[in-house]
Amino acid sequence: MIPINKPQLGEEEKREVMSVIEENALTSAAADGGKRVRDFESLMKEYLGCKHVIAVNSGTAALHAALLAAGIGPGDEVLVPSFTFVATANAVVAAGAKPVFVDIEKHDYTIDVSDAKRKVTRKTKAVIPVHLYGHPCDMDAVSELAQKRSLAVIEDACQSLGSTYKKRQTGTFGAMGCFSMYASKVLTAGEGGAIATDDSRLADELKMIRNHGMVKGYDTRVLGLNLRLPELAAAIAKVQMAKLTSMLAARRKNAELMSELLQGAKDVALPQESDDRVFNWYLYTVCLAKGAARDGVMARLQKEGIGATVYYNPPVHKTPYYRKLSAATKLPATEWCAGRVLSLPVHPGVGEGDVRRTAAELVLALSSPTTASAASSSPSQP
Ligand SMILES: *Cc1c(COP(=O)(O)O)cnc(C)c1O
């Protein structure tokens, strides 16, 4: 099976992890974190071109900490897309605020800023643009809306490390940008996260939030939690930072070949980069013209050992917990895309032969009449 994503780990990661064990330095509750945490933070800071990076133990923790640092809490509304991983909305609920779901652009699956504008109320305090699949959001439009309505911008860059908008790294536009180092992401530590910011006050606040609000002893200055990244994970993340550029180049090579091979294929829209929006190719996501055939096409690719996967169906507002909270929510573009998208593997472990086979099988599946019947026999989403 060619999995949809696979951590790229080697001897360097092993050595660094072993050194943590040999030094018996599994974690540090110091305000600035352990040695590998600090190493990782400075490498990431340099890569992103921002002033501060604060490592935490997940992307979810990064979002939660960012919301707390922005002062978001009970009574506040936060604009979030529904076409994302549930963590984006869960972090808002965990902070005590209300997620208000916003529709997306059909062509690249990122936040529809005109819909966001319509959903701003007196209670709206923040907006979380999600650079889904590594596709940068329209940050000019997001920033303009945020400025006009005094909203904090917290970017969910969990999928977009290395993607750029107008030549600048995603995650560096808002007050804070949140990253994940979960096993599937372009850079992994197994679990882990990070927040980028240029604001020294927010950076100090985030460091306190990650460590029970303490700086020295039990001087609980703000409400915090234990969001610390363990040194074992930081060791892996640190080594991965050094390999990031080459890992992204391998993804790009695969993605560009995929686009070349699928160019002109019938009934499928390909992901489109531009000079202003350069992708990290976290996922190569196509959109099938015939929604009814999607699950059949996916089943067929999987039967051929190709880990084609659907993200995100159902979208967050249709999942059981949020269905209860936002029963009346209608997001036509989100629902349209959720029924048609299909992501293909292009990670660095995928070889040229794999890309050629994936593209060929997809074209075959799209043109095959049996795929449609496979679709009707597969379980449908409620
Ligand atoms: C992975 C992801 C998260 C959460 O990150 P974790 O490290 O799994 O907690 C949040 N938002 C998006 C868009 C993600 O893809």
Side-chain angles (χ1 to χ4, degrees), residues 64-79:
H64 188 192
L67 287 158
L68 294 178
I72 308 296
D76 296 337
E77 291 179 358
V78 179
L79 301 170

Side-chain angles (χ1 to χ4, degrees), residues 58-60 63 84-85 87-88 130 156 158-159 180 182 185 192 312:
S58 71
T60 307
L63 288 161
T84 178
F85 180 52
T88 317
V130 181
D156 183 337
C158 287
Q159 300 189 358
S180 165
Y182 175 64
K185 308 292 159 92
Y312 288 90

Side-chain angles (χ1 to χ4, degrees), residues 3 33 86 113 130 135 195 200 306 341 376:
V86 288
V113 179
V130 181
H135 301 177
I195 306 131
S200 314
I306 297 158
V341 291
S376 59

Side-chain angles (χ1 to χ4, degrees), residues 249-297:
R251 285 179 178 274
R252 167 162 303 281
K253 190 162 163 240
N254 286 336
E256 284 176 354
L257 177 61
M258 190 79 83
S259 288
E260 190 185 310
L261 295 169
L262 291 176
Q263 212 63 56
K266 241 171 58 100
D267 295 333
V268 59
L270 307 181
Q272 298 290 343
E273 271 188 305
S274 67
D275 287 346
D276 281 351
R277 302 197 202 188
V278 176
F279 303 169
N280 66 353
W281 294 107
Y282 170 58
L283 288 168
Y284 188 98
T285 303
V286 299
C287 187
L288 305 193
K290 294 181 182 146
R294 194 266 315 271
D295 292 353
V297 169

